[in-house]
Structure formats: C-alpha cells, structure tokens
Amino acid sequence: MKAFRLDELEAERAANDGAYLQFLRERNMSVGLYALDAGALDPQSPHSQDEVYLVVSGRASITVGVETTVVSRGSVVYVPAGVAHKFHHITEDLRVMVVFSPAEA
C-alpha cells in the first residue's frame, strides 16, 4: 500500500521550491500536488494526458477550452488531453491534487 498525508506532501513541495510535486507514478496514472499562491499566474500549457483536478484548498477560476468556472475546496474538474486550461483570478492560495492518465510524461 502507498499512503500519503497532505501536510507532508505540502511540506515536501515547499521545500523543493516548486509549484508541482509528483508523489505517485504508476503505469497508467500519476498523481501530484499543484500549488499557486493568491495572485499568481498559472504557467500551464496543454498536456498530452487527461487530467482530473481536486481542489484541496483555496479559491480561483479555471478556464478549460472556452468554459470558465469558479473552484474552491471540494471542486473537481476534468480536463481532456490537449485542451488549453489555466487557473486565474486566484484569490486564496490554491492547492490542487492532480491525477494524470496515462502517467505524466
């Protein structure tokens, strides 16, 4: 079994000075923690994998393709492979669990 604690993942991500920490990688999926502070710009570009975002904390808007919605704790967003997407108008520090399938390259 592999089990993780969000507070430990956040500490590891912060210690590595990165916005993203991949903490699980298997043949068909990978999982990471993505962090954007309030007011930050999201530098993402489209990925070649499908993604699911689960917002752990914070508040922002996300645009996927031409659709925009507000997200906060508990929001789940699916992003198809190859579709442009960005978090924006980040009003509270955002922490998002990201599942890629297949595993992120």
Side-chain angles (χ1 to χ4, degrees):
M1 172 180 17
K2 296 178 182 178
F4 306 91
R5 290 182 45 94
L6 189 56
D7 57 343
E8 293 171 355
L9 295 171
E10 175 62 15
E12 182 180 349
R13 184 207 56 78
N16 290 315
D17 293 325
Y20 184 72
L21 171 71
Q22 183 183 90
F23 61 88
L24 178 65
R25 184 178 182 82
E26 297 294 335
R27 184 172 51 94
N28 293 317
M29 63 174 244
S30 60
V31 184
L33 178 64
Y34 189 44
L36 293 166
D37 291 336
L41 297 177
D42 184 0
Q44 292 192 81
S45 57
H47 306 286
S48 57
Q49 306 84 2
D50 288 339
E51 292 177 82
V52 173
Y53 289 116
L54 168 61
V55 178
V56 175
S57 63
R59 186 170 183 81
S61 293
I62 186 171
T63 298
V64 178
V66 297
E67 296 180 272
T68 299
T69 191
V70 174
V71 294
S72 59
R73 183 179 177 198
S75 297
V76 178
V77 178
Y78 167 67
V79 180
V83 175
H85 59 286
K86 297 255 188 231
F87 289 100
H88 52 93
H89 296 98
I90 302 166
T91 57
E92 297 174 18
D93 292 352
L94 192 63
R95 299 300 180 263
V96 181
M97 195 76 58
V98 186
V99 179
F100 287 98
S101 181
E104 184 180 28

